[in-house]
Amino acid sequence: MSHTVAHVLPPLHGCVVLVVDATTGVGRRVASQLCALGAAVAVVGAGHPGRGDDAATNAAFLCKELAGIGLVALPYQADVERPESFAALTGQIAADLGPVTASVVVVPGGSGGEELAPSFRVLSGVVAASLPAGAEHVEVDMRSDGPSLEKAAQAVVERLVRLHETWRAPSG
């Protein structure tokens, strides 16, 4: 007697998602959840001037942590103060992981975030313009009057899962 085991693909299998400001807060939660749901995630740590950390190192550590549990994430570097540095990311990511199907840019809020927000909105526009046709772009605004980290991350993940389901749906 032969048994066939059905293999169910994770909901975001085949998606490549670029997440900017992915090493802390909502960006980290989004990147981790997307990976857990089967997406290959391009992690960009966006150095915040005055924060005293190394965004590239933080991105590498997050990717190592995710790889340690069998998930796919690669670190990338771009300079928030040079938004044009983000234009080449989608090509680099496509060469490494495949075409980018979605991007998420977290616009910081809260303490110190208000002066960074305009720069992040500009780089968000650069990222959106560099995406291949049909790719989804999500900008998450974390102003103090916005949603909590958990709610913001969950909303982004749910949106991308719904979109991916429509992309995968057979056309009839």
Side-chain angles (χ1 to χ4, degrees):
M1 179 177 219
S2 171
H3 293 278
T4 304
V5 177
H7 181 70
V8 178
L9 294 175
L12 293 177
H13 176 78
C15 278
V16 175
V17 184
L18 164 61
V19 182
V20 177
D21 204 9
T23 61
T24 61
V26 72
R28 184 182 182 93
R29 288 175 191 240
V30 167
S32 298
Q33 289 177 20
L34 292 173
C35 277
L37 291 172
V41 176
V43 174
V44 178
H48 293 236
R51 192 163 69 184
D53 63 356
D54 178 0
T57 300
N58 292 344
F61 279 134
L62 175 58
C63 291
K64 183 176 180 180
E65 178 184 315
L66 294 168
I69 56 174
L71 304 176
V72 179
L74 292 178
Y76 292 86
Q77 187 172 359
D79 186 348
V80 173
E81 295 177 344
R82 291 183 39 247
E84 69 278 5
S85 66
F86 284 81
L89 276 180
T90 54
Q92 185 180 357
I93 293 163
D96 296 339
L97 296 169
V100 176
T101 54
S103 64
V104 178
V105 175
V106 179
V107 177
S111 174
E114 287 306 315
E115 60 262 6
L116 292 174
S119 296
F120 274 79
R121 285 192 188 94
V122 168
L123 76 85
S124 180
V126 170
V127 168
S130 72
L131 293 173
E136 180 70 14
H137 178 70
V138 180
E139 186 175 292
V140 182
D141 191 340
M142 292 306 299
R143 289 178 295 186
S144 59
D145 59 343
S148 69
L149 290 178
E150 294 83 13
K151 287 182 181 179
Q154 193 60 36
V156 169
V157 170
E158 287 173 1
R159 177 177 174 179
L160 293 179
V161 167
R162 281 191 310 273
L163 283 168
H164 191 62
E165 287 170 352
T166 62
W167 294 331
R168 289 191 338 191
S171 55

